[in-house]
Amino acid sequence: MRIGLAYNEKPDPDSSLDDPSSSGSDAFVEWDDRSTIEAVEQALSLFGDVVRLEADFSFPQKVALARPHLVFNMAEGLHGPNREAHVPCTASDSLTLALALHKTRTKQILVQAGVPTAPFAEVASVDAADEVGLPLPLFVKPVHEGSGKGIFANNLCHSPAQLRERVAYLLDRYHQPVLVETYLPGAEFTVAILGNGADAECLPIVGIDFAALPHGVTPVYGYEAKWVWDSPKRPLDLFQCPARVPARLATAIERVALAAYHALGCRDWCRVDVRLDAAGTPNVVELNPLPGVIPDPNMNSCFPKAARVAGMTYEELIQEVVRIAWKRITGQALAGSQAREATA
């Protein structure tokens, strides 16, 4: 079997590609480190030859030349609101990838499907922020970014003046509309999901312990928490897996996560972020159908963390995604699947 591996690799810190003046120091945070790409490639080698397919402007030609039987997609794309949808292969299709990246479209679909999510509005100008009509406090973020980009601790707005200031900043920095949401003050969780249709299931829930953040900061898992305060030299003990919550709440969290997964038409795997409102009701924050899969356990990558608690190694997680996708595409089990099921 010949498997293509679609990816985007972070440039070296000294590379001229990483120009903070263009879009800030978070320009390439969605892309993967070389070590992650190599770990996924090693896991995929169980099935045969792996062909690396960097998702740049010549990607279609690379696929045509490589002629893979299947493409494992971890490419975040180059730019624009449809950047994650440029590679058709494992996981969700192009429509779902584009919808999930666009936070407003995601929430509109969730509302239509009856899945709880915070009240929201989208604004494209500073003046429009005055017309939002939602009660304070409000939280703001760019409408189509990922990996914590544009989600800063000071995005929590307690006054109309603060809302205008933060909207103006995000509009200027990211050149896209801003999502304004009712702030959800409760605990936050992330749910890793594997499978399709009725077979889709949740891995152990990951809880986020905001007590590990610096004292007094807004309790959100955003850019600073992911890329500034949490580092290999000074790791934060941010996660509990499985989350220490009552069984009834765990069931409710899994229910809304699966409902969101199906509402957006996700396939094979996805990570769903969930947060409790003031009444303790789980609300879906967003979906990531191209979840991060950093192999180093110290790097707090949530999907591999949940898989480890479920008894899967990193390699087994990547291989399971391939098996799930292959069965969806062909209707047949991939060689080696029976052996795994027999030992499960």
Side-chain angles (χ1 to χ4, degrees), residues 185-197:
E188 187 165 332
F189 309 90
T190 191
V191 185
I193 297 175
L194 285 171
N196 293 302

Side-chain angles (χ1 to χ4, degrees), residues 23-27 29 103 138-142 145-158 162 165-174 178-179 183 213 217-229 275:
S23 56
S25 59
D26 57 5
V29 296
K103 295 175 175 60
L138 297 168
F139 197 83
V140 296
K141 61 185 76 169
E145 295 296 346
S147 300
K149 292 174 66 174
I151 302 178
F152 303 112
N154 62 349
N155 284 6
L156 180 60
C157 304
H158 294 277
Q162 190 178 9
E165 184 275 325
R166 293 312 298 165
V167 167
Y169 174 81
L170 294 175
L171 288 171
D172 179 67
R173 179 165 180 175
Y174 294 99
V178 173
L179 180 69
Y183 177 63
L213 298 179
V217 304
T218 302
V220 295
Y221 187 51
Y223 180 76
E224 296 100 336
K226 291 183 179 183
W227 306 108
V228 179
W229 300 325
R275 191 166 172 126

Side-chain angles (χ1 to χ4, degrees), residues 6-7 33 48 97 99 126 180 199 209 243 248 263 287 306:
Y7 68 95
D33 292 316
L97 292 174
L99 290 172
V126 176
V180 183
D199 293 330
D209 182 9
R248 179 177 295 182
L287 294 84

Side-chain angles (χ1 to χ4, degrees), residues 20-340:
S21 65
S22 60
S23 56
S25 59
D26 57 5
F28 297 100
V29 296
E30 293 177 294
W31 293 12
D32 287 293
D33 292 316
R34 183 172 302 170
S35 60
T36 299
I37 297 165
E38 291 173 347
V40 173
E41 181 179 34
Q42 176 63 33
L44 295 176
S45 66
L46 170 73
F47 301 109
D49 296 329
V50 180
V51 182
R52 288 197 186 190
L53 302 169
E54 185 173 7
D56 54 20
F57 290 108
S58 62
F59 178 80
Q61 292 89 339
K62 293 174 183 176
V63 174
L65 290 172
R67 300 181 66 185
H69 298 100
L70 181 73
V71 176
F72 186 95
N73 183 22
M74 57 189 293
E76 295 289 346
L78 299 178
H79 51 74
N82 300 316
R83 63 183 177 274
E84 291 184 350
H86 293 165
V87 181
C89 38
T90 60
S92 298
D93 63 16
S94 298
L95 176 60
T96 294
L97 292 174
L99 290 172
L101 183 62
H102 197 294
K103 295 175 175 60
T104 302
R105 298 292 174 264
T106 294
K107 290 172 74 70
Q108 289 169 338
I109 292 171
L110 294 178
V111 169
Q112 180 68 26
V115 180
T117 190
F120 66 98
E122 180 181 304
V123 299
S125 69
V126 176
D127 288 341
D130 296 332
E131 309 299 326
V132 166
L134 295 172
L136 296 165
L138 297 168
F139 197 83
V140 296
K141 61 185 76 169
V143 79
H144 54 74
E145 295 296 346
S147 300
K149 292 174 66 174
I151 302 178
F152 303 112
N154 62 349
N155 284 6
L156 180 60
C157 304
H158 294 277
S159 69
Q162 190 178 9
L163 177 61
R164 286 179 63 91
E165 184 275 325
R166 293 312 298 165
V167 167
Y169 174 81
L170 294 175
L171 288 171
D172 179 67
R173 179 165 180 175
Y174 294 99
H175 309 289
Q176 60 188 267
V178 173
L179 180 69
V180 183
E181 297 178 289
T182 296
Y183 177 63
L184 300 172
E188 187 165 332
F189 309 90
T190 191
V191 185
I193 297 175
L194 285 171
N196 293 302
D199 293 330
E201 59 182 0
C202 299
L203 298 182
I205 298 169
V206 178
I208 301 176
D209 182 9
F210 291 125
L213 298 179
H215 179 70
V217 304
T218 302
V220 295
Y221 187 51
Y223 180 76
E224 296 100 336
K226 291 183 179 183
W227 306 108
V228 179
W229 300 325
D230 187 25
S231 67
K233 291 183 179 179
R234 292 181 297 177
L236 295 179
D237 188 15
L238 273 171
F239 299 106
Q240 303 167 350
C241 189
R244 294 191 285 271
V245 297
R248 179 177 295 182
L249 177 57
T251 299
I253 292 169
E254 291 177 347
R255 184 183 301 118
V256 299
L258 285 167
Y261 186 85
H262 293 306
L264 264 77
C266 295
R267 304 187 315 202
D268 303 343
W269 64 335
C270 178
R271 201 191 70 243
V272 182
D273 296 337
V274 176
R275 191 166 172 126
L276 306 186
D277 63 15
T281 301
N283 281 243
V284 173
V285 177
E286 60 182 73
L287 294 84
N288 190 341
L290 286 180
V293 284
I294 301 173
D296 184 353
N298 296 319
M299 289 297 288
N300 283 335
S301 191
C302 289
F303 213 114
K305 185 181 297 291
R308 284 193 296 273
V309 174
M312 303 170 70
T313 67
Y314 182 86
E315 291 77 11
E316 287 170 340
L317 168 62
I318 301 301
Q319 292 158 7
E320 185 67 7
V321 174
V322 172
R323 292 187 177 100
I324 291 169
W326 187 258
K327 185 174 182 179
R328 169 178 56 79
I329 294 167
T330 68
Q332 303 294 321
L334 191 59
S337 297
Q338 296 88 344
R340 170 174 165 73

